[in-house]
Structures are given as structure tokens and as C-alpha cells.
Amino acid sequence: MSGVWINLPVVRPPLEDDGTPRFPWCRVAEWMPSKGKADGKTGVLFIYAHGRYWEFGGLLDKEPKQMIGQVIEVDVLPKAAGAKLIRLRYRVTEVRKHISTWAEIADVPNGRVILQTSETDRHDGTKMVVIGTYVDTTSSTRPVPVAKPQICD
């Protein structure tokens, strides 16, 4: 996001042996496939990471009004062999703080990205979400990031 330097690989969330999502990994962001596709139009691209400074902590350092109008860039590697990174761009239109249930963001329409992080040091505490509206899709010149997720202690 412009104004907040966050450069994390985004991965599918880890699963428990029974197939349910487990508590998020560290050192990466994760996306929730059940909420939408990474195409900017189908559903909501929901990306979340811890509030540590090397993850989404930079979002917590800004006032909501400082983020409005900023650009969020999400680079996506299509599944096709030999495909190049594409960049989805969104413009921040809203920041919500102290979110504690899914119902509080159920009104977010399709064609949006949501960046979510914890406002506390506990996974069950309140969350902050940054909501962006899809702008366009372009090509990306960045190298494909290498994800090195770690189990959080």
C-alpha cells in the first residue's frame, strides 16, 4: 500500500488434519479463498496477517484518514505454466477499527480488497480492516516472492 511499505508473500492458510483452517502462519500474509478470487471482481479478496511490524503492523501505525485514497497493489501469479505476475490495484476507500465479528464487514460489496490485522497481541482480539475498491489490472515487474511461512509460537 502506498504510504505503508508492506511486502509479504500471500499464501493459502494452513489447515489442520481435519481440513479446517488453523491459526495463521507468521512471516506471510494469507488470503481466504472462500471469500473471493484474486481477480479484482469476483467476491472480496480478503488478505490477513499479524499486526507485527514485519507483517501488517504498518497499518496500525497510520491514522485511518492517512490511508484513504492510498493505492493497494496485490501481485498475483496465475496458475498457468510460465505465466507472469499480474498486479491488481485498489484504492483505499474505508478503514474500520475495532471489528470483532464477520457481520461487521458483511456489507462490503464485490470488487473490493480487505486487508485485516489484529489490533491486539491476541488472535481473538479486535481487528482493523482496510477496504479498497478495485481500480485496474496491470502487469508486474517485481520478482515472484518466496514464501517462508513459520508456525507462530
Side-chain angles (χ1 to χ4, degrees), residues 23-147:
F23 187 73
W25 276 330
C26 290
R27 306 231 179 246
V28 294
E30 297 166 52
W31 68 288
M32 193 169 292
S34 63
K35 298 296 179 192
K37 294 182 179 177
D39 64 6
K41 300 170 189 142
T42 309
V44 173
L45 180 56
F46 187 89
I47 302 173
Y48 56 101
H50 291 290
R52 296 178 177 111
Y53 73 91
W54 60 85
E55 293 164 334
F56 276 6
L59 299 175
L60 299 171
D61 293 338
K62 298 288 183 184
E63 290 297 321
K65 65 183 178 184
Q66 292 175 299
M67 291 186 268
I68 302 297
Q70 298 296 315
V71 174
I72 298 170
E73 296 177 340
V74 180
D75 287 354
V76 177
L77 182 61
K79 290 185 176 184
K84 304 259 188 225
L85 280 176
I86 59 170
R87 177 168 297 149
L88 304 175
R89 294 187 325 148
Y90 299 84
R91 187 161 310 280
V92 176
T93 55
E94 188 176 356
V95 178
R96 298 182 191 180
K97 296 179 96 173
H98 315 305
I99 301 296
S100 59
T101 68
W102 279 105
E104 295 174 78
I105 57 172
D107 63 330
V108 176
N110 291 341
R112 304 296 191 273
V113 65
I114 295 177
L115 304 180
Q116 181 243 292
T117 194
S118 296
E119 293 175 317
T120 69
D121 60 357
R122 299 178 326 275
H123 73 281
D124 59 348
T126 59
K127 313 295 183 203
M128 180 180 82
V129 297
V130 177
I131 302 167
T133 301
Y134 176 76
V135 175
D136 62 14
T137 301
T138 63
S139 59
S140 175
T141 58
R142 292 188 184 126
V144 176
V146 177

